[in-house]
Amino acid sequence: MSSRRLRAMPGVVAACAVLLAGCWSAPRPAPTPTPLRPDWRAVALPTPPGAPGRLLLRDAVACGGRWFVVGAVADAAGVTRPAAWSSPDATAWTSLRLAARSGYGPENVLTAVGCRDGRLAAVGAKSGGVHGNPRVSTWRQLADGSVVEVPAEFEVFGGPDAVNVGRIAGGPEGWVIAGNRGTGAAAWSSVDAGEFRLVSGVPPLASDAAGRTWAADVAAGASGWVLVGSSRTPGRPGGEPAVWTSPDGLDWRRETLSDADAPGDLQRVVRAGERLVAVGRRGDGVGAWIEGPGGAAGATRVEWRPGGVLDRAGGASAQVAGLAAVDGGMVAVVLSDAGGAAWFSTDGGGWSPVLVPAPLPVGADRSVAVAGAGDRVLLLVDGARGTGVWSARMPDGPG
């Protein structure tokens, strides 16, 4: 080979290397979605009748052209009394009249609220008794707009098997509360929120050889009720997401959503249009699961499939504080020890960050909730820096 050809070889090799690098370079990461910027406006909740005090905000919901916020008022001595507010548009609020009917009712803090046909039902509690256990009551709204306590026998919600009484949802067939007993996941069902029937310790709600069950949230689906939570399988650290379905709130069927690479759970579920979307921990982050038709074309069987990832580094402390449907999608709020963030998705697949009007609180003594209806979203924040309520119209966005 001539010396001239040898001198040309390094240039040829370098050119080939450049071309190969261009062909084989690692794919570029997907661009970060542009944050959505709702037009947040602070709204004021009037102090209910009685002694002045600090508002404790715990949950919110909307349906049938009405918005509701629930919580309590704590006076200077720390004594609480239940509180609830209503609005036709999420901007102008009035305090609802509450009537307690048990010894602990006057000091209840309303922790969860559901809605059906423009009326609320709520779960409240106050610690008391020899052991200081929560004394749980339910509350329901009457035709005149007032909200009355519905006392229950102690072991309906309490007793030696009690663990927690969680979230409540209304639907066409009545009401269901999600919670847990010593036997595992549990549900309480009622036609009119006047009296709840406990369902626990029975397959497939109860813990068994397949896993220890935990129910976190409930929603009304197209053909009945859906509980979401987790099943901690022996030898499977972190657990697996679990879903229970029922046509009537009494007879339940369990499905474990296995993901070999990402143990986790489901913490919130919402019906958005014709589908259900659930959000919870997935591996070291937070991700969604989406309900949809499965199997062969034309099959009516419903399956759950993994959706998009919201927060990729929430870790074990990640908590889905709220999930609400709005026109064109859903809004989720995620809290962790590192802070909090809000997200929007049109279908549970892709998620875009949502700018919030104030920092979301961190730490154990915090409460954040979100509710939605139409194109409007409501955000509640209650933390060490105080409380705040904001309303906004959601802009169109990616997802």
Side-chain angles (χ1 to χ4, degrees), residues 281-286 311-319 334-338:
R281 289 186 303 106
R282 182 185 299 166
D284 293 329
V286 176
D311 185 336
R312 296 184 179 277
S317 69
Q319 173 193 0
V334 178
L335 306 179
S336 70
D337 290 343

Side-chain angles (χ1 to χ4, degrees), residues 77-399:
V79 177
T80 59
R81 65 182 189 272
W85 297 264
S86 177
S87 172
D89 57 9
T91 58
W93 293 83
T94 58
S95 178
L96 296 176
R97 184 162 44 92
L98 276 72
R101 293 180 174 174
S102 76
Y104 292 97
E107 297 183 52
N108 262 205
V109 177
L110 305 186
T111 56
V113 64
C115 189
R116 176 190 178 197
D117 298 331
R119 294 187 190 176
L120 72 82
V123 175
K126 178 64 179 180
S127 296
V130 175
H131 301 289
N133 294 324
R135 303 301 173 119
V136 177
S137 293
T138 56
W139 298 70
R140 66 169 180 159
Q141 189 173 24
L142 303 181
D144 65 2
S146 64
V147 180
V148 299
E149 182 189 10
V150 184
E153 294 294 331
F154 177 61
E155 293 198 3
V156 172
F157 297 111
D161 200 34
V163 175
N164 82 310
V165 181
R167 299 188 55 76
I168 181 172
E173 303 303 319
W175 303 85
V176 169
I177 300 172
N180 299 278
R181 307 286 284 181
T183 56
W188 290 262
S189 175
S190 177
V191 174
D192 58 4
E195 181 178 354
F196 281 87
R197 174 182 173 183
L198 169 62
V199 183
S200 69
V202 296
L205 289 174
S207 301
D208 52 27
R212 178 164 182 78
T213 58
W214 180 270
D217 197 9
V218 60
S223 57
W225 299 97
V226 176
L227 283 172
V228 299
S230 62
S231 176
R232 291 188 174 271
T233 306
R236 170 75 164 166
E240 294 178 309
V243 174
W244 294 263
T245 55
S246 172
D248 55 9
L250 301 175
D251 298 315
W252 294 90
R253 173 181 174 271
R254 182 167 78 190
E255 179 182 2
T256 300
L257 310 180
S258 299
D259 187 332
D261 298 324
D265 61 18
L266 297 177
Q267 300 176 15
R268 288 288 187 270
V269 62
V270 70
R271 184 175 180 182
E274 296 303 314
R275 75 181 69 198
L276 288 164
V277 176
V279 178
R281 289 186 303 106
R282 182 185 299 166
D284 293 329
V286 176
W289 287 80
I290 306 166
E291 178 201 54
T300 59
R301 186 165 62 94
V302 172
E303 290 184 348
W304 289 79
R305 59 180 175 83
V309 175
L310 292 70
D311 185 336
R312 296 184 179 277
S317 69
Q319 173 193 0
V320 185
L323 180 64
V326 295
D327 282 351
M330 65 216 74
V331 177
V333 177
V334 178
L335 306 179
S336 70
D337 290 343
W343 304 83
F344 173 80
S345 177
T346 59
D347 58 5
W351 292 83
S352 302
V354 177
L355 296 184
V356 293
L360 300 180
V362 298
D365 189 16
R366 64 189 180 187
S367 180
V368 177
V370 63
D375 63 353
R376 186 167 291 276
V377 64
L378 185 75
L379 176 68
L380 311 185
V381 175
D382 189 341
R385 298 183 180 180
T387 61
V389 184
W390 294 267
S391 174
R393 295 189 182 280
M394 285 298 300
D396 295 332

